[in-house]
Amino acid sequence: MIGKIGYLDLHSHILPGIDDGSVDWDMSARMIQAEYRQGVRTIVATPHNYQGKGQQDNERVRELCKKADILAGKIDRSFHVIPGNEVLYREGIPREIEEGHILTLGDSPYLLIEFIPNEGYRRIRQGLRELVEYGFCPVVAHMERVGALFGQEERIDELIDMGCYMQVNCHSLMGGLFDRRTARLKKFIESGRIHFLGSDCHNMTERPPIMLDCIRKLYKKLPKECVDRLVNDNQEQFLQKKYI
Ligand SMILES: [Fe+2]
């Protein structure tokens, strides 16, 4: 089931002591090992980036990431950790990127953008449009949490047509038969509205890496070609820094 390049985890909090994710290197090492067991071969480390956090933090993110990448390389030479940020949306993101205060995903045009759950659609659309106009590929982090999008297929389509991408958390896809959120997300995957999975792992207890558990479940419940597109085609495009 694991593709030739393994899986991509586009959203993780595996770097120690920098946000509400891993607390120390011991936990980070265990999370990296768990990601490997879950079939992941590229982890994008995406610590939270809020307004007011400066350049210094991202220099640290890059340093921590290099160390995490060395740990991953000791497990398997083809296993990597690359730097990124989960950027809470605010105005002026392009300038902050230029000034080095915000990291794109693996230094590609992709950018992981988080919205507060009750953010209004007008602001979401305007903000994302600006990022696309600047040449970025915004990926909406855990889109299932954004109230203005989750129940609104036509809005999701509008953003995708504009040049945006949608990421879903693995945990949100693990609900049972009567879980309405999981059911809706599966429909979105079937209709090609979801582009990336992310573990959004924060630790090894409440929010561990569960990529393979999630993908296995999707293959059981959805047409193979839909899951292939989600976990193979899109991630390959990303890793080659191409547009989907
Ligand atoms: Fe996150």
Side-chain angles (χ1 to χ4, degrees), residues 2-3 5-12 14 31-45 72 75-76 78-82 170 197-199 201 209-213 215 235 239:
I2 298 173
I5 50 172
Y7 297 127
L8 166 72
D9 185 355
L10 200 81
H11 185 163
S12 75
I14 60 150
M31 290 168 78
I32 290 167
Q33 284 158 10
E35 288 271 35
Y36 188 77
R37 286 195 302 274
Q38 288 282 326
V40 174
R41 294 297 177 268
T42 304
I43 305 172
V44 192
I75 298 171
D76 185 329
S78 66
F79 184 26
H80 289 287
V81 182
I82 60 177
C170 293
L197 290 179
S199 71
C201 59
I210 55 162
M211 187 64 74
L212 190 56
D213 299 340
I215 290 169
Q235 71 171 36
L239 291 170

Side-chain angles (χ1 to χ4, degrees), residues 50-72:
Y50 303 121
Q51 195 157 27
K53 286 208 164 188
Q55 202 161 8
Q56 195 186 346
D57 288 293
N58 276 328
E59 280 169 12
R60 190 158 162 241
V61 170
R62 285 192 187 276
E63 269 171 37
L64 293 171
C65 208
K66 263 188 203 161
K67 205 171 160 188
D69 187 54
I70 291 169
L71 280 181

Side-chain angles (χ1 to χ4, degrees), residues 11 13 48 86 142 200 202:
H11 185 163
H13 299 269
H48 290 288
E86 179 180 9
H142 33 63
D200 200 4
H202 279 64

